[in-house]
Structure formats: C-alpha cells, structure tokens
Amino acid sequence: MLNYTVEIKPTNKPSILKFEFNEFLTKQKGYEYHNIEEAMKSPIASQLFYLPFVKTVYISQNFIAIEKFNIVEWADVQNEISEQLLKHINDGGKIVDEKEEDSVSKIPVTVYAESTPNPSVIKFVANKKLVLESAEFKSIDDAELSPLAQKLFHFPFVKEIFMDDNYISINKYDMAEWEEITNELRGFIKDYLEEGGKILESGKVQSKKTEAPTPEIDTSNLDDISKEIVQILEEYVKPAVASDGGNIMFKSYNAESKDVQVILQGACSGCPSSTITLKNGIESMLKEMLQGKVDTVTAFNG
C-alpha cells in the first residue's frame, strides 16, 4: 500500500487552501463539489462537508483544495483537516468512485509530438499531468516501476525514455527515422492514457539501479554557493530545458576549482548541442550571477 504524505499550500485566493499529496488521487479527471448531495460518489468530499465551514471541495490528480466560509481562519483548522485527509487515504478510504464513469466512456486525451534540439529525441506532450517528478529509464530493466515505459521498450527502436510533468521524451536508435515512427508512438501513448493505463506504480519513482541524485535535491547540507547554484538552475535553467524535453540536475560544486557539475537527462543527454548550451548559456549565466565563484560547468549524461 502507498504511503501518502501531504503538503499544505496557499493559493492566490485566500479562502481556498490546497492539500497536495505525493501520489495521484484520481486517474485523469478533476472534480468539484458544492454540497454533500453532489459529493455522494466521493467519500472523502462527503466527509469534508460535515465540517460547517467547508463551502466547496475540489479534487484533482494529486491534490484536494477546499474553499471555506469566513467563519474560521485557516490557521485554526488546516492541520486538523490535513490529519483527517491523511487518515482517510492511508486507511484505504476511497477518494472518488470512478468505476461507473470509466465503464461508460474513455477519457479523451490529447497527445502531440514536438521536436527537440537533440535529433534522436522526440517529446510527446499530453494535456494532463503524467508524473509528479521526473523519471528516466535507460533500458527495460530500469523500467520495473513504470508499466508504460516497459511497453514502450517493446518497440525495437526505443532506446531511452524520460518522463516529466506532462510529457514523455523518447530517444531512438538510428535503425528508424522519426517520420516513420512518430505517429505510431503518439497513437500508442494516446490510446494507453485514454484506457487509464498506469504510467508509474506510484506518483514518484527513483530507480534502484542509478546513482544519480533524486530530482528533489536536499539542500540542507549544501554550502551557501551550492544553494545559490541550485536556485538559479531551478528558476532560470530548468524551465527552458524542460521545454526541450530534458532535465538538468545539480551534482556538485568545487570551491577550489570553481567547477559546477550537473547531470543532463532526457533530450539533453547526449545532445550534440548540449556543449554549446552549457558554454554559451548555463556557464555564462552562472559566471555572471555568481561573479568570481564559478569558472566552468561540467555536464554528465544521466
């Protein structure tokens, strides 16, 4: 059984608070309930409506958001709600009864193919969140925790797979050209998602066979400069890299040599233009933003 944890996160609307979980709660859809009658198919929402201050309950893939009436302050009730939600879910309580809906019709999913700077990699983008953190699979042996990746590796031209947020990057062998296989892969992924197939066994995955650091870096033991580097990579570099179907992770910083080591994943791994990107982009940015503290950036393929 999965062990759920929850984070309490404010939203841009003070009356709405979001309780975000480390695993997916629903298969594909989001749900909105305004009263206990509407929430009959959601045991957890029904339970919440017994609280007199609950106005609306929103349930999405990995979070539950609650809108309250102004008769209480969030600070007075949020921890109690968090504990209530965790107890319900970790005790095996249902979130939403999706069986009836799933038996009636498939949930429409859009998937489109997008080229990347790496000619060996195509990015397949869906209109829904697929994973809660990035996951990389170098072979079918690495994919024991991803049913979807295992099936994709049965295509003889699939070399490596990288997943993040709402996309899947596929690295191919040279035995096939993209114009011959793109539609086949796009169609397979679309059908798989519409049928409700599992992407990962859990929302988050870390391969037991890799020594690469996890995407969520523990900065508590890092020196101040390393923390600044991580922040710059997260804020300025990762979004641009993700748009190209890849990922970058901080590995280490040497204060004496002023060298920063990073790990490239997905489309960035083995990309012919990655050296240019490093020198003209990331290295230049770190030199400018951390003057005198960084001289070089060294990249390793994930």
Side-chain angles (χ1 to χ4, degrees), residues 166 179 197 209 230 263:
N166 68 326
E179 54 264 30
K209 302 179 182 181
V230 170
I263 294 174

Side-chain angles (χ1 to χ4, degrees), residues 20-33:
E20 191 170 290
F21 293 83
N22 63 322
E23 301 287 351
F24 285 119
L25 304 177
T26 67
K27 287 183 179 179
Q28 315 271 349
K29 295 188 69 175
Y31 302 86
E32 181 176 333
Y33 306 104

Side-chain angles (χ1 to χ4, degrees), residues 128-178:
K128 64 183 287 291
K129 185 181 282 290
L130 303 179
V131 293
L132 300 181
E133 67 175 27
S134 61
E136 186 171 48
F137 307 102
K138 296 289 190 180
S139 69
I140 195 168
D141 293 330
D142 288 341
E144 57 184 346
L145 297 179
S146 174
L148 174 55
Q150 287 180 26
K151 290 185 178 296
L152 286 170
F153 274 119
H154 282 96
F155 290 93
F157 42 77
V158 172
K159 182 180 180 182
E160 297 175 4
I161 299 166
F162 177 78
M163 303 176 180
D164 197 12
D165 196 36
N166 68 326
Y167 68 86
I168 299 169
S169 292
I170 294 180
N171 192 334
K172 71 172 180 64
Y173 289 104
D174 292 336
M175 62 188 290
E177 298 300 324
W178 280 121

Side-chain angles (χ1 to χ4, degrees), residues 210-244:
T210 181
E211 296 180 359
T214 60
E216 292 184 357
I217 299 170
D218 180 6
T219 60
S220 58
N221 296 321
L222 296 179
D223 60 82
D224 290 342
I225 298 175
S226 294
K227 288 179 182 177
E228 288 185 71
I229 294 169
V230 170
Q231 185 177 353
I232 292 169
L233 292 177
E234 292 286 333
E235 187 173 347
Y236 297 100
V237 181
K238 271 196 174 184
V241 171
S243 68
D244 288 333

